[in-house]
Amino acid sequence: MIESSRYAAFPTCTLCDLRLLCRPAQHGAEVLPSARILRHRRTLRRGGYVFRMGEPCHSLCAICSGSTRTSVLSADGGAQVTGFQFCGDLLGVGALGTHEHHCDAVALEPTVVCEISFLRLEEIAERVPAVQRALIRLMSDELTHSQDLLLTFLGQKSASARLANYLGTVARRLEQRGLRPEEVCLSMSRSDIGNYLGLAKETVSRLFTRFAHDGLLRSQARRFWVTNTVRLAELTDSQDASV
Amino acid sequence: MIESSRYAAFPTCTLCDLRLLCRPAQHGAEVLPSARILRHRRTLRRGGYVFRMGEPCHSLCAICSGSTRTSVLSADGGAQVTGFQFCGDLLGVGALGTHEHHCDAVALEPTVVCEISFLRLEEIAERVPAVQRALIRLMSDELTHSQDLLLTFLGQKSASARLANYLGTVARRLEQRGLRPEEVCLSMSRSDIGNYLGLAKETVSRLFTRFAHDGLLRSQARRFWVTNTVRLAELTDSQDASV
DNA sequence: CGCGGTCTTGATTACTCTCAATAACTGTGG
DNA sequence: CCACAGTTATTGAGAGTAATCAAGACCGCG
């Protein structure tokens, strides 16, 4: 419990997916200094790169505060947004096997991230079964999350269902992390959302207008507040575009 | 090498993603009887369930021969196809964390599968670092695969690009496993493909007709043979539906 | 206050879905 | 071996949704 003071200034650590691995001293009798695996904390400003595609990756990376956008270069040369990450989310888990980042990660606003040495973690896992299981669990969860995400894109047909689903997912995720849906606000552009969802930015804009008109949310510039989670969820489930 | 005779009748084992874990005797000096982790082999006929959603899962499952389809129940009560698996592919990796299957898996044709006890594997991993790393690598690969898959769905707009991309992916995957593109043939219905890709079955049918007319492939009933991999790949990259 | 970028809104075009009818295939039984 | 029924695949016509093209409004910023 000596460690806990290290994190006093970061209450978000209690929400972090990495917290069980970040403080392995809590696992069993064997005391392991967390300093060995917690490499460093970094502060980024809007537009700053957390990492770039192709860079070597020997760490897991968790977001302490702020938000990020990941993207890859698609075959036609343009960028393809692959996701948005918020407080407590992990970055770079998929790169553990290849030890090389396969996407860019950019801060959407002033953002603080933690890096955890994966090599150290692997060493510790060899000696502490609880850590090994936590690691496997972590990857399994990430896999489940990735497949859930895939699911939302598989059957989706209408644009409104896709956007409603996305906004609802974000609201839910942030709610799980202790924020109220009313407080949900993003920092990403219409283009980013459109790119991510496979929609034209004009379509995204129209949908925001329509959702706001229908009382589902308030939107102002790059921020929005969900005001009717229930109806947003209804839209998500509908296959067609009926509003 | 005493073990090898066990697999003599299954040459496909050399293509299997699980082979490194299935024969842990090869890892280091410690000899571990593979019988402890290889639970059993099962033969299924067309339409047979490999497993059902909600069932307990304590095993990894590899396809020795044949093919399967995974699906979940979507919010509106209908089924959503989440993927197709072929010789050497794994099933149920994402269920390792929760120890419960979160999808149905059905054989598309006469199919043989192997089950590997995950609990045993975990035990062995605690003692043999090489197995632990192989396990992590396996999950990381699965994660990478899942995210690659997600990528193909994210930006995709036109139906032809989606189908071309899918057919190309299947052809490539089977090619990696030792089959020639000319020999690629499937056992899934147009409805399954359409469900998976988010297209109406009529659209899938029309695209098959068009692709065949343009000399990209031959199709006969539920089987098809890719005859022009290059042009199929070109279609994949195109954002619009120009043919 | 003017500038560059993003966002909104409108009109047109094009793609894909839906509905509907016919054709082909699969498996079963005579 | 052939005929039959049920399922699956093909093909066509019409309707609806979202992309594209284009113009103007709003915002942050120097």
Side-chain angles (χ1 to χ4, degrees):
Chain A
M1 291 306 122
I2 305 171
E3 307 284 355
S4 56
S5 63
R6 295 178 68 95
Y7 305 95
F10 292 91
T12 54
C13 279
T14 60
L15 307 170
C16 178
D17 284 339
L18 270 184
R19 67 188 180 284
L20 288 179
L21 295 172
C22 184
R23 309 193 214 181
Q26 298 175 355
H27 292 290
E30 189 169 4
V31 176
L32 300 159
S34 68
R36 286 184 60 200
I37 61 166
L38 177 59
R39 279 158 66 132
H40 53 271
R41 231 182 272 276
R42 277 197 293 157
T43 302
L44 299 115
R45 53 183 170 182
R46 181 178 150 81
Y49 280 82
V50 183
F51 51 75
R52 290 167 195 264
M53 202 154 96
E55 280 181 357
C57 164
H58 302 295
S59 309
L60 286 172
C61 193
I63 299 177
C64 299
S65 69
S67 57
T68 60
R69 177 194 68 211
T70 51
S71 62
V72 299
L73 289 177
S74 59
D76 60 359
Q80 171 62 53
V81 174
T82 56
F84 304 102
Q85 299 78 35
F86 307 97
C87 166
D89 287 338
L90 295 181
L91 285 166
V93 179
L96 295 181
T98 57
H99 295 295
E100 183 177 302
H101 285 295
H102 48 248
C103 64
D104 288 330
V106 176
L108 292 170
E109 57 191 314
T111 297
V112 180
V113 299
C114 273
E115 279 190 31
I116 302 280
S117 165
F118 181 65
L119 294 177
R120 300 262 188 230
L121 202 54
E122 215 171 18
E123 281 172 25
I124 295 169
E126 287 179 11
R127 287 182 292 135
V128 187
V131 173
Q132 174 185 294
R133 279 194 292 274
L135 192 57
I136 289 172
R137 179 61 190 259
L138 184 76
M139 298 189 72
S140 175
D141 286 350
E142 192 72 10
L143 193 52
T144 301
H145 175 249
S146 177
Q147 290 177 345
D148 284 348
L149 200 58
L150 184 59
L151 250 180
T152 68
F153 281 97
L154 279 174
Q156 298 280 9
K157 283 160 195 166
S158 79
S160 60
R162 263 184 280 184
L163 183 61
N165 183 30
Y166 175 64
L167 295 180
T169 301
V170 171
R172 231 172 296 124
R173 189 153 37 139
L174 292 184
E175 198 170 13
Q176 282 172 358
R177 302 219 185 279
L179 298 167
R180 292 206 205 85
E182 298 87 40
E183 295 174 22
V184 171
C185 56
L186 308 175
S187 307
M188 62 203 66
S189 70
R190 301 285 188 266
S191 295
D192 282 346
I193 298 174
N195 184 310
Y196 177 60
L197 295 175
L199 303 172
K201 59 182 184 297
E202 294 94 332
T203 303
V204 175
S205 184
R206 276 183 247 270
L207 287 172
F208 265 106
T209 303
R210 198 167 75 190
F211 287 174
H213 178 266
D214 294 351
L216 302 183
L217 52 79
R218 283 197 305 127
S219 86
Q220 179 199 336
R222 290 193 177 181
R223 297 166 186 283
F224 78 94
W225 294 259
V226 176
T227 53
N228 193 332
T229 314
V230 177
R231 290 196 49 202
L232 208 59
E234 288 172 4
L235 263 185
T236 296
D237 296 338
S238 68
Q239 282 288 323
D240 54 40
S242 60
V243 183
Chain B
M1 291 306 119
I2 305 169
E3 308 284 355
S4 57
S5 62
R6 293 177 70 95
Y7 305 95
F10 293 92
T12 54
C13 279
T14 59
L15 306 171
C16 178
D17 283 339
L18 270 184
R19 67 188 181 284
L20 289 179
L21 294 172
C22 184
R23 309 194 214 180
Q26 298 175 355
H27 293 290
E30 190 169 3
V31 176
L32 301 159
S34 67
R36 286 185 60 201
I37 61 166
L38 176 60
R39 280 159 65 132
H40 53 269
R41 229 181 274 273
R42 277 198 292 157
T43 302
L44 299 115
R45 53 182 171 182
R46 181 177 150 81
Y49 279 83
V50 182
F51 51 76
R52 289 169 195 264
M53 203 153 94
E55 280 180 356
C57 164
H58 301 295
S59 309
L60 286 172
C61 194
I63 298 177
C64 300
S65 70
S67 56
T68 60
R69 176 195 69 211
T70 51
S71 62
V72 299
L73 289 177
S74 59
D76 59 358
Q80 170 61 53
V81 174
T82 55
F84 304 102
Q85 298 79 34
F86 307 96
C87 165
D89 287 339
L90 295 181
L91 284 165
V93 179
L96 294 182
T98 57
H99 295 295
E100 185 177 301
H101 286 296
H102 48 247
C103 64
D104 288 329
V106 175
L108 293 170
E109 58 191 313
T111 297
V112 179
V113 299
C114 274
E115 279 190 32
I116 303 279
S117 165
F118 181 65
L119 295 177
R120 301 264 188 230
L121 202 53
E122 216 171 16
E123 281 172 25
I124 294 169
E126 287 178 11
R127 288 182 292 134
V128 187
V131 173
Q132 174 186 295
R133 279 193 292 275
L135 192 56
I136 289 172
R137 180 59 191 259
L138 185 75
M139 298 190 71
S140 174
D141 286 350
E142 193 73 9
L143 193 53
T144 301
H145 175 249
S146 177
Q147 290 177 345
D148 283 348
L149 200 58
L150 185 59
L151 249 181
T152 67
F153 281 97
L154 279 173
Q156 297 281 10
K157 283 160 195 166
S158 79
S160 60
R162 264 185 279 184
L163 184 61
N165 183 29
Y166 174 64
L167 296 180
T169 301
V170 171
R172 231 172 295 123
R173 188 153 38 140
L174 292 183
E175 198 171 12
Q176 281 172 359
R177 302 218 185 280
L179 298 167
R180 293 206 202 85
E182 298 87 42
E183 294 174 22
V184 172
C185 56
L186 308 175
S187 306
M188 63 204 64
S189 70
R190 300 286 187 266
S191 294
D192 283 345
I193 298 174
N195 184 311
Y196 177 59
L197 296 175
L199 302 172
K201 59 182 185 297
E202 294 94 332
T203 303
V204 175
S205 185
R206 276 183 248 271
L207 286 172
F208 265 107
T209 304
R210 198 167 75 190
F211 286 174
H213 177 266
D214 293 351
L216 302 183
L217 51 79
R218 282 197 305 128
S219 87
Q220 179 198 334
R222 291 194 176 181
R223 296 165 187 284
F224 77 94
W225 295 258
V226 176
T227 52
N228 194 333
T229 314
V230 177
R231 289 197 50 202
L232 208 59
E234 289 171 3
L235 263 185
T236 295
D237 296 338
S238 68
Q239 282 287 324
D240 54 39
S242 59
V243 182

